Amino acid sequence: MKNTIAARIADFLKEFPPFSLLEEKHLLTISKEVKVIYMEKGKPVFRKGENGHEHFYIVNKGAIDLQKVNENGESETIDKCDEGDIFGLRPLFAKENYLINADTEEESILYAIPISIFKPIAENNSRVGNFLIESFASNTRNPYSPEHRGQLVTDNTVDFKTDALYELQPVPIVKRIITVPPETTIRTAANLMSNKKVGSILVVENELPIGIVTDVDFRTMVATGRLSIDTPVSEIMTSPVICYSRNISIAQAQLTMMKHHINHICITRDGTPNTKVKGIVSEHDIIVSQANNPSVLMKAIKRVPSTKKLKKVRNKIMQLLKGYLDHNIPLTHISKIMFELNDATIKRVIDRCIEKMETPPPVKFAWLSLGSQGRKEQLLHTDQDNALIFADVPEDKLEETKEYFLKLSKKVTKRLNIIGYEFCPADMMARNPLYCLSLQEWKDKFSDWIVEPGSDEILLCSIFFDYDISYGDASLSNALADHIYKEISGYKKFLTLLAASALRNPTPLGFFRQFLVEHDGENKDFFDIKKRAITPLTDAGRVLSLSHQVKNMSNTAERFEKLAQLEPANKELYLACSYSSKALLKFRTKQGLLHKDSGRFINLQDLSKEDKIKLKRCFKSIKDVQELIKFRFEISSFIS
């Protein structure tokens, strides 16, 4: 007789990896042994420190909240599991206790799958084995899912390559090491670990690591009565110690731990047991660091129910940024990830604000991010520059429609401010009636700026020409872009004036190659890296790209890389400018994180000689590209 319950379970499981990789007979074998568990909201599935269950779990209906627990016993969500998500599997393979809590976020039905049935099938199926290795290495339940493939996309997902940046980061290393000689008794070692509040202790001889003892060893070898507490630690230590140098990646560490059935790795000077110990890596610390995984942060943004909680997520994004910079991840990758997380934050704020409006939007609209966010260069919390375009409406509906979008914009900008984006001092925001306009009004405004440009209009163009749609209908922003390029092609004088504006900040070095600093005001004697270095490159990239009619590209580094393709004769200069723009942005970001500000004004006394030399190398690109602009656009009096 057919087991209909098992068949229904198999039909569900086969839709999700790794079960979708199994043969039907194996899938049915597993399904017959599955235990169906109903759980009320707020109930624990397992707790940190609890012995691994005989089952792992897949969510059939409902949602599970995975939480790390800090030293104060406080819980913090690091991930959430929805329908088809697996959890609680890694500890069973590693034969260890749970390192996190799992609670039901809502009423849920779980399928509990016996590890004793699943493991032999998985070990004999290379596709399932590869899935599990990639999953464990990337802290991703499903590395084969669409959001973990390809490039970053605009629908708030993060791809596998982006997650790989998390995996490729060096592991978190604990430098506070407790060491004992091999003759130390278990009692002494245990007391030492308890007093120092550590989970492992290193056994050394002649200052070199020969073994490691963990809490697990005490439980399995001592608490069970197998050995006396007066036995030397050499009897229970794991030896030899698996060692790596400090540049081991998270993925490497995880795979090593799985391969050798260990949960600690020793970091030595040369990666062998023959040199002095520099630190310890534990699986627990790796799991804790997962809270700053881009995928987890992206999911948190999409789910966050309040502005206050969204602000907490933003703080984690800043921690992620610092980690990337500390580990020297390429700025190109950092910028892409930070842009996507910033963009997702803006989208989430707008979604929530629309929900709070009395009626849905009367017509299609587009929310534009301007300036650094529009260029995908906003890494720190800077002020917000934004604008709103709404579809054209009949004249008698214009004011009513505008009033709706102004009200929405005020809600959005207020919440962005709460999160950490300061209000623009010049009020260049969508809440300003000057920058919340219909498509036709925007076309007219840009036409005025281009056809009759004064100094104010040129300044506005330098801000509004660098935009990116963050929310809404892209056809509106595309229509505006087409109009802008059409107008520019008919008024060559505009590009000349824009080029002249790009030269308003000359090379940042004065006589004897000294830095030009501020002469007065609250930032007297500080170097303004934005005005004197970043802005000149940004302005140069903009005017040169506009002259080539390069569309849909506002990032400064990418603009110069495109220019290198378009003008092979100037390839070396443009690539140098691309490098300099990234180096300057990275330098400013590091300064901002260090001093907890925008990083704009730098005290030169705090810089090392090496930092000053690196900055001066970037400045040569500014001088050279300004010379090119001066002669190309026939400007004679801006660079002496």
Side-chain angles (χ1 to χ4, degrees), residues 483-501:
H483 174 79
I484 290 171
Y485 281 98
K486 181 180 178 182
E487 291 288 82
I488 289 174
S489 64
Y491 292 90
K492 300 296 183 182
K493 180 184 176 182
F494 170 77
L495 281 180
T496 302
L497 292 172
L498 194 64
S501 176

Side-chain angles (χ1 to χ4, degrees), residues 39 59-65 80-85 104-110 303:
M39 299 196 69
V59 182
N60 174 252
K61 288 183 174 60
I64 303 298
D65 194 21
K80 294 181 184 293
C81 299
D82 299 312
E83 179 178 326
D85 283 339
T104 53
E105 189 180 48
E106 59 190 60
E107 188 178 34
S108 302
I109 296 176
L110 307 178
R303 289 174 174 270

